[in-house]
Amino acid sequence: ADSGELDLLIEVIAHYIPEMNLVNLTTAFHRLAKMLSDSSPSVPSTLLHKRHCNLLDDLSLALSTALLKSEGRLTSTVTRALSTTLGSLALLQRVDLKVVWATVQLSHQHLWNFKPFEIASTIGALAKLGLQCKVAMDMAAPLFQRAVDPVMANVD
């Protein structure tokens, strides 16, 4: 990602997806989202567009699987992964209902383990995604209501 070469990033991520853990998947998804959103006007061809869409699909599937596997062992790494994943989806303006559902379920169960900035990031990303898709908004609605108490607990 540091090289700024989108093709190289796509190739490396695609090659290593099967070996990636939750942190690796989240980081790859975030870097790809950032690079695609920064360079979207200069994406040269439809073929590249198809390649990045296929890779995003593969990453989304791997992420939703890894998130659901992490359910019993929620750590600060997982809460960061939840908020970063949703932030990446929002940055891409891409609603993936499997990923949204997995992140909302885990976030709802473990909201009190989130740091304040993770709650804010999660809620903000879900609101952006919800504006694009009513189903995503409906999935997120209970989390929006539940987030009030942890947010108010952190107001000075």
Side-chain angles (χ1 to χ4, degrees):
D2 293 337
S3 72
E5 294 182 38
L6 183 57
D7 285 337
L8 179 60
L9 181 63
I10 289 171
E11 187 178 312
V12 169
I13 291 172
H15 180 76
Y16 287 103
I17 284 178
E19 300 171 29
M20 290 184 181
N21 62 25
L22 181 59
V23 172
N24 301 142
L25 289 164
T26 304
T27 302
F29 196 56
H30 178 70
R31 287 185 179 182
L32 185 60
K34 184 131 177 60
M35 191 173 283
L36 286 170
S37 68
D38 288 348
S39 69
S40 59
S42 64
V43 174
S45 70
T46 359
L47 178 62
L48 181 59
H49 183 266
K50 182 177 170 136
R51 279 183 70 202
H52 82 253
C53 285
N54 290 340
L55 181 59
L56 288 170
D57 289 343
D58 292 346
L59 272 170
S60 292
L61 179 61
L63 262 169
S64 61
T65 302
L67 285 166
L68 292 173
K69 284 181 180 177
S70 73
E71 186 172 5
R73 50 188 169 82
L74 199 78
T75 63
S76 61
T77 301
V78 176
T79 58
R80 174 76 57 92
L82 292 167
S83 63
T84 301
T85 298
L86 286 169
S88 298
L89 284 174
L91 185 61
L92 290 167
Q93 299 178 11
R94 178 184 172 89
V95 178
D96 183 309
L97 293 176
K98 285 182 185 177
V99 176
V100 171
W101 183 84
T103 54
V104 166
Q105 294 304 308
L106 288 170
S107 298
H108 193 271
Q109 293 170 19
H110 303 284
L111 199 57
W112 283 97
N113 297 345
F114 279 61
K115 294 176 180 158
F117 76 91
E118 292 168 338
I119 294 173
S121 174
T122 298
I123 297 303
L126 284 168
K128 287 180 185 177
L129 294 170
L131 290 173
Q132 291 180 260
C133 174
K134 183 180 178 345
V135 174
M137 183 63 81
D138 292 343
M139 286 180 181
L143 184 62
F144 292 154
Q145 293 171 341
R146 181 142 193 238
V148 172
D149 290 336
V151 167
M152 293 308 292
N154 286 292
V155 173
D156 291 330

